[in-house]
Amino acid sequence: MRIIVMCCWTAIMVAFLFTSDLIALLDHGALDIQMTSHPDFSFFEIYGFRFDVLIQKIGHLFMFAIWLLTIFFAIKRLKVAVWITLGLALVSELIQPYFIRDGHLLDVAFDSVGILLMAIFIHVFLEVASGVGK
């Protein structure tokens, strides 16, 4: 069951990470994945912060935090799950330009913050849970 949950969340992440129109996906459920052989790389570009961009970045934090949680539940090794999820964050941003999306180093930072916050939460939870039986 844990593997199924992880696979389902991974499918959701793929939809959000690679759809060419995130707003259409959120508003109308329209999943449109397109690829290009001539990506426009803007990995080191810094974007301006507006309210809608801030909401998207909070979404990055949340989505990658949940992804770590599902991977941790599946493999039961926190450090390995963190490294896998950090790797997925980097790789997803590097390949997004091939899906008519922008991949940004700053997004990897937001993804990583979500991953690390969830890792701390899991670690503290495990420490408290292991102390309850003592």
Side-chain angles (χ1 to χ4, degrees):
M1 184 59 151
R2 294 173 284 154
I3 300 290
I4 293 170
V5 171
M6 181 190 68
C7 290
C8 288
W9 189 256
T10 299
I12 291 168
M13 290 296 292
V14 167
F16 276 92
L17 290 169
F18 302 120
T19 187
S20 60
D21 188 352
L22 182 60
I23 302 303
L25 177 63
L26 292 172
D27 289 347
H28 308 291
L31 179 61
D32 181 28
I33 297 177
Q34 299 177 20
M35 291 187 71
T36 181
S37 59
H38 303 291
D40 180 22
F41 287 100
S42 56
F43 194 66
F44 296 104
E45 182 180 294
I46 304 294
Y47 42 78
F49 277 102
R50 300 177 319 270
F51 181 72
D52 60 323
V53 173
L54 181 61
I55 297 299
Q56 286 180 354
K57 300 316 151 195
I58 291 170
H60 274 257
L61 262 120
F62 173 76
M63 300 285 287
F64 277 87
I66 299 300
W67 210 359
L68 169 63
L69 186 63
T70 64
I71 292 170
F72 170 70
F73 282 155
I75 66 173
K76 298 290 187 192
R77 296 180 60 202
L78 184 56
K79 286 182 184 177
V80 174
V82 167
W83 283 111
I84 289 170
T85 314
L86 288 171
L88 289 168
L90 179 62
V91 168
S92 70
E93 293 300 325
L94 289 172
I95 66 174
Q96 275 185 351
Y98 290 98
F99 291 88
I100 326 251
R101 295 283 305 267
D102 294 328
H104 292 98
L105 183 61
L106 198 52
D107 287 347
V108 176
F110 280 100
D111 302 343
S112 299
V113 168
I115 293 164
L116 295 176
L117 287 174
M118 180 58 79
I120 291 167
F121 175 79
I122 293 169
H123 178 74
V124 169
F125 179 81
L126 293 174
E127 288 293 317
V128 169
S130 67
V132 169
K134 292 181 179 180

